Amino acid sequence: MTGAGVLFSVATDSYELVVRELREEFGRDLRCERVSADLGRIVEGAPPIAELAVCCDEGRIMFVRHLTREIASFAPDDVPPPYELAELVLAEVPRHPSVLAVQTWTDGAGTGGSYYHLLAEGLGARGVEVTRSGQDNIVSCFVTDKVVLLGLNERQHSLSDWPGGRMRLARAEERVSRSEFKLEEAIATFGLDLRPGGKALDLGASPGGWTRILRQHDQEVWSVDPGSLDPRLRGDRRIHHVGTTAGEFFRRNQVRFDVVVNDMRMDQVLSARVMLDAVPHLRRGALAVVTLKGGGRNPLDSARRGLDVLAKEYDILHARQLHHNRRELTVIGRRP
């Protein structure tokens, strides 16, 4: 019944990469076990979860999406009644809270909603309001057909305020491309501050998904790509489509930008070098957002090579495989 260790969420094909990162950072005595396709548990040698969260937030560990401290586990047929679940949670909180976030998810497509209601019922009976996000402390409940895991963590150490790091964004009709989700998630997850009225450079912009998100944040956007933009973007006078390559654009450009983004499909090192070419066109303190594409036999080492190139000109703020990334990482940098 009692839990132990730290639970970490990952992309299905990134589990072994996380284990390698963890052991390189915290020593060979650290031992993990796989709970499900996208959830692991540190069972020996776990650092304090606050220390682990800092490593993840700073990009020293890149493939962890979500963290929680395990406080209990049950067989599905042995889950206690709501009042006992509430007692387990409240025993782990320093002071009796007025409100907690409860987040449930499963190893499939389900949401684990029935467990949300069990926890909400038990906590509500103890005078605790329950929400799904936005609170200082998060109760996590992960459900498989073999085990139900209960976790608790401070939001600041959880990496994501979504169940298991699975951010869900609406598939609105005005969306230009799926890639928009990646930039939206990065802005929300890392709390990126895009100055209203700023100037943004979108490299490899076609068909304009990231351009559209930048416009939603009141950026005037230069969208650089030989390909065309979605027709719905063409009437916006604060979008400047430059139908050429990044290299040609840099040879002629006279504008200084507050943010540069790059979601181009190319090798990690080549993409990072394009970002170095952008540096003379950026204001000091400008933000940079780039996805380093994965692939190859060793995606971790490839990602590190790309980061090493970026670090020549940018302060690396974050590097993480977000929920909407596939075989890629989102990196946030700032021009000193």
Side-chain angles (χ1 to χ4, degrees):
M1 176 178 172
T2 56
V6 172
L7 301 173
F8 57 89
S9 297
V10 298
T12 299
D13 56 359
S14 297
Y15 177 82
E16 295 299 334
L17 301 177
V18 170
V19 173
R20 178 182 160 192
E21 286 184 299
L22 289 169
R23 298 186 76 187
E24 288 178 354
E25 185 71 30
F26 296 109
R28 308 303 295 178
D29 292 337
L30 183 140
R31 189 166 68 85
C32 300
E33 64 181 23
R34 196 164 194 169
V35 178
S36 72
D38 60 359
L39 189 75
R41 175 196 279 129
I42 304 176
V43 294
E44 289 184 16
I49 199 164
E51 181 181 347
L52 176 55
V54 168
C55 289
C56 296
D57 193 52
E58 294 179 349
R60 302 205 303 269
I61 294 174
M62 298 180 285
F63 289 92
V64 171
R65 290 176 167 172
H66 180 266
L67 293 169
T68 192
R69 180 172 54 86
E70 184 184 352
I71 60 174
S73 63
F74 318 94
D77 294 337
D78 293 328
V79 175
Y83 71 89
E84 289 189 20
L85 289 174
E87 290 298 325
L88 282 168
V89 170
L90 295 175
E92 298 291 333
V93 183
R95 294 180 300 276
H96 190 90
S98 59
V99 60
L100 288 170
V102 171
Q103 299 178 353
T104 61
W105 73 103
T106 75
D107 62 351
T111 63
S114 62
Y115 291 91
Y116 176 89
H117 294 297
L118 282 176
L119 286 158
E121 178 185 341
L123 290 167
R126 292 293 308 275
V128 180
E129 180 186 354
V130 168
T131 69
R132 296 185 184 273
S133 62
Q135 306 306 326
D136 291 339
N137 289 285
I138 300 171
V139 180
S140 292
C141 183
F142 176 75
V143 182
T144 76
D145 58 358
K146 296 181 180 179
V147 67
V148 176
L149 298 172
L150 196 63
L152 181 71
N153 200 15
E154 296 179 45
R155 181 175 58 168
Q156 64 176 327
H157 300 147
S158 297
L159 306 185
S160 172
D161 198 17
W162 289 78
R166 299 177 182 179
M167 177 176 278
R168 303 298 186 187
L169 297 170
R171 299 182 180 275
E173 291 185 3
E174 62 268 22
R175 290 199 181 278
V176 170
S177 67
R178 180 196 172 278
S179 70
E180 293 181 23
F181 292 132
K182 293 185 286 186
L183 184 56
E184 277 192 271
E185 184 178 2
I187 291 170
T189 298
F190 301 123
L192 301 185
D193 183 18
L194 302 183
R195 181 178 64 84
K199 291 179 168 55
L201 174 60
D202 185 0
L203 299 172
S206 179
W210 282 31
T211 289
R212 192 182 79 85
I213 299 303
L214 290 167
R215 285 294 296 119
Q216 286 187 333
H217 289 268
D218 195 26
Q219 303 297 295
E220 184 176 4
V221 187
W222 277 253
S223 305
V224 178
D225 198 300
S228 60
L229 297 184
D230 187 279
R232 290 169 290 180
L233 302 178
R234 294 176 188 166
D236 190 330
R237 294 184 178 181
R238 297 189 69 204
I239 295 176
H240 311 281
H241 178 217
V242 185
T244 188
T245 63
E248 184 62 26
F249 173 79
F250 291 140
R251 282 190 285 273
R252 301 181 181 183
N253 173 62
Q254 300 297 318
V255 180
R256 291 296 176 268
F257 297 99
D258 302 288
V259 58
V260 56
V261 301
N262 170 2
D263 190 38
M264 290 191 286
R265 295 179 180 175
M266 59 173 59
D267 169 87
Q268 297 97 325
V269 171
L270 291 178
S271 188
R273 286 174 178 165
V274 171
M275 297 299 285
L276 298 192
D277 293 339
V279 169
H281 305 266
L282 303 179
R283 299 182 189 275
R284 294 198 177 278
L287 276 176
V289 183
V290 56
T291 49
L292 297 180
K293 308 302 181 182
R297 294 183 178 180
N298 198 324
L300 178 55
D301 288 346
S302 296
R304 287 172 173 169
R305 285 194 292 271
L307 283 172
D308 287 344
V309 173
L310 288 170
K312 293 178 180 178
E313 295 288 350
Y314 295 93
D315 294 331
I316 305 301
L317 306 180
H318 310 281
R320 191 180 308 165
Q321 187 173 53
L322 298 172
H323 175 65
H324 289 99
N325 291 139
R326 289 178 176 171
R327 293 181 63 81
E328 60 192 8
L329 294 164
T330 294
V331 181
I332 311 297
R334 187 182 298 279
R335 186 194 171 190

